[in-house]
Amino acid sequence: QQQQQQQQQQQRQQQQQPTPLSPTSQHAGEFEWAAQGPAKAADTAMLQVEEAAAARARELLRSIARRRFLERRNAELLTEDDMRAVFQALATHNSAPYLVPRRHVATDDAAEDPARQTSGRINYDDFCNACEELPAHLTHFFTANEFAKFRRDEWGRISTQLFFRYVCRLTSMNQSRIQLSAYDVQRDGYLREHDLENYIYELIPSLDALAELQENFYPFYVFTAVRKFFFFLDPRHTSRIAIKDLVSSPILHELLQLHSFSPGDPHDEAEAYNWFSAPSTLRVYSQYLELDVDHNGMLSRSELAGYGTGTLTTAFIDRVFEECLTYDGEMDYKTFLDFALAMETKVSPQALAFFFRLLDVRKLGYLDRFTINFFFREIVQRLRELDGGSGAEVVRGDDVTDEIFDMCKPRYPGRITLADLVRCGVGHTIVTMLTDLSGFWAYDNREHLIAEEAREERESQGL
């Protein structure tokens, strides 16, 4: 009985003890995880590759669709034959009363021959008759809405010449919009600096006025051209310009005028005043090289002080380097272009905003008597030095300050805001008085200079 009891007890103890696992059963879970890990990693990598390929395919599809859309829009533009048809339709449907050309007055049938009569104007009925003679793709210009955009005379007629110019201008704007949209990489209706640089770089060979421009100068020409767009069309420094603003701006029209300029024509005065012309670009770049005395490709404060007549005040030069982008305290070519544009177009609101940011030393949003005296005191000091230090009162700073406030007529007395500076119409004169010794001297002696010019003109005419 005792042996049976011991055997039963041993059997119960064996049943209570866990069964030992074999090596295979102990690591089965680990082996299963190890087997699943590479498979899952491979699936994840394959999924990422497929997603990247799908993204590239979608991007390629969008690019192809956009290119074909722009090609269709470009094909819809008016050709030279279309423009000739519009001009001919307008010319043959002049509305009475006619103005008989002087060379036909002597003939008996001049007043009875409609083909030899012209008024240069067209009423709405003849406008519709002209539309009926044109192809279907040209009739969208000859609508009541388009006719109503022009001023009508007492006979209800509009100028055919102005209407034809309108059609040409609208066609040119549509063509420019399509060309610019091709460089919109992000497809959001804006061009970044790099996008606009690519557009101008590829446009250079098609501009007749730039036919003699050397290819190694292309990068500097592109920098010079692009800076004017961003100076005037990106006043908030967002580093992008809306395509609609580019198309409607006179700056793009100024650039495209180079199509009609002949290269190297010394009699073309319009080209000389065009910022995008080769002579103008070379002038600005040569000016930068002349200021760069140490030939390191950058301008220091002392080098920029030689700009123009070399009479810019030290306080103004210091503010330029404090507010503008510099590299180790020196100015690069792009920053110099902003400075040069502001100096050459002081009348523009964008240039006045550039100068106001420099003059507003205390960041108050307005110029007070303290600010004006801060900049003008150097003018007074340098005038005394030029006077030989005689001690005589050359000019009184308080009198000039009062004169500036009288010229500007600010909305709030004693505070000249940017809006006041733009509205008064003499903001460029005020800026010159505060920043340039020669400019202030010319203003202070303006009556004497005018008299001298009148005397020289009389002498040249032999009076």
Side-chain angles (χ1 to χ4, degrees), residues 177-354:
R177 181 186 292 274
I178 293 172
Q179 292 175 350
L180 291 170
S181 298
Y183 294 87
D184 182 11
V185 178
Q186 299 190 15
R187 298 183 300 278
D188 58 354
Y190 291 86
L191 290 187
R192 276 68 181 175
E193 186 172 359
H194 183 67
D195 302 333
L196 196 55
E197 288 176 352
N198 291 336
Y199 167 73
I200 295 178
Y201 192 91
E202 297 180 6
L203 183 67
I204 292 176
S206 65
L207 300 176
D208 298 335
L210 303 180
E212 299 179 357
L213 192 67
Q214 297 181 2
E215 190 172 356
N216 57 2
F217 188 72
Y218 279 12
F220 299 100
Y221 178 86
V222 171
F223 294 153
T224 307
V226 169
R227 287 320 303 167
K228 182 166 187 177
F229 283 100
F230 277 88
F231 183 83
F232 286 99
L233 301 180
D234 185 27
R236 297 185 178 181
H237 305 285
T238 60
S239 299
R240 64 176 189 173
I241 303 176
I243 293 179
K244 62 178 183 179
D245 295 337
L246 282 169
V247 172
S248 60
S249 71
I251 303 176
L252 182 63
H253 179 66
E254 181 183 1
L255 173 63
L256 298 180
Q257 276 184 339
L258 299 183
H259 283 297
S260 59
F261 292 157
S262 55
D265 187 359
H267 303 290
D268 200 341
E269 297 181 358
E271 183 180 5
Y273 292 99
N274 190 309
W275 174 266
F276 302 100
S277 66
S280 176
T281 307
L282 292 171
R283 173 186 60 83
V284 176
Y285 186 67
S286 299
Q287 189 177 31
Y288 180 80
L289 295 180
E290 292 175 359
L291 292 174
D292 185 18
V293 178
D294 57 5
H295 305 290
N296 66 341
M298 308 285 282
L299 297 183
S300 62
R301 301 189 184 206
S302 60
E303 291 173 337
L304 186 63
Y307 179 86
T309 58
T311 56
L312 296 175
T313 63
T314 304
F316 175 67
I317 295 295
D318 291 341
R319 287 294 298 157
V320 171
F321 278 82
E322 290 173 3
E323 292 294 329
C324 297
L325 178 63
T326 58
Y327 302 89
D328 294 330
E330 292 192 325
M331 177 185 296
D332 68 342
Y333 183 57
K334 288 186 177 182
T335 306
F336 172 77
L337 288 172
D338 290 340
F339 176 80
L341 282 166
M343 294 295 293
E344 295 185 11
T345 60
K346 286 184 178 180
V347 184
S348 65
Q350 292 84 355
L352 290 176
F354 177 88

Side-chain angles (χ1 to χ4, degrees), residues 109-154:
D109 58 345
E112 299 177 359
D113 187 1
R116 301 170 67 177
Q117 296 174 342
T118 179
S119 64
R121 310 188 75 84
I122 187 172
N123 59 30
Y124 185 68
D125 292 335
D126 291 330
F127 188 76
C128 295
N129 294 334
C131 177
E132 294 177 356
E133 297 181 0
L134 294 172
H137 67 280
L138 300 178
T139 57
H140 64 279
F141 290 108
F142 290 78
T143 62
N145 290 333
E146 300 295 338
F147 185 87
K149 292 179 180 179
F150 297 85
R151 180 179 296 179
R152 296 175 292 278
D153 60 10
E154 60 269 26

Side-chain angles (χ1 to χ4, degrees), residues 4 12 15 39-40 44 63 96 121 208 234 237 255 264 270-271 279 304 375-378 385 390 401 419 437:
Q4 291 178 354
R12 286 196 297 269
Q15 292 176 357
K40 290 183 178 180
T44 304
S63 300
R121 310 188 75 84
D208 298 335
D234 185 27
H237 305 285
L255 173 63
E271 183 180 5
L304 186 63
F375 284 97
F376 190 71
R377 63 185 179 184
E378 184 176 344
E385 294 175 356
S390 60
T401 302
L437 176 62

Side-chain angles (χ1 to χ4, degrees), residues 40-57:
K40 290 183 178 180
D43 293 341
T44 304
M46 182 62 68
L47 182 61
Q48 293 176 352
V49 171
E50 293 177 353
E51 291 178 352
R56 288 194 299 269

Side-chain angles (χ1 to χ4, degrees), residues 387-405:
D387 194 44
S390 60
E393 189 67 29
V394 179
V395 63
R396 290 176 55 86
D398 292 339
D399 294 342
V400 174
T401 302
D402 294 336
E403 185 173 359
I404 288 176
F405 278 104

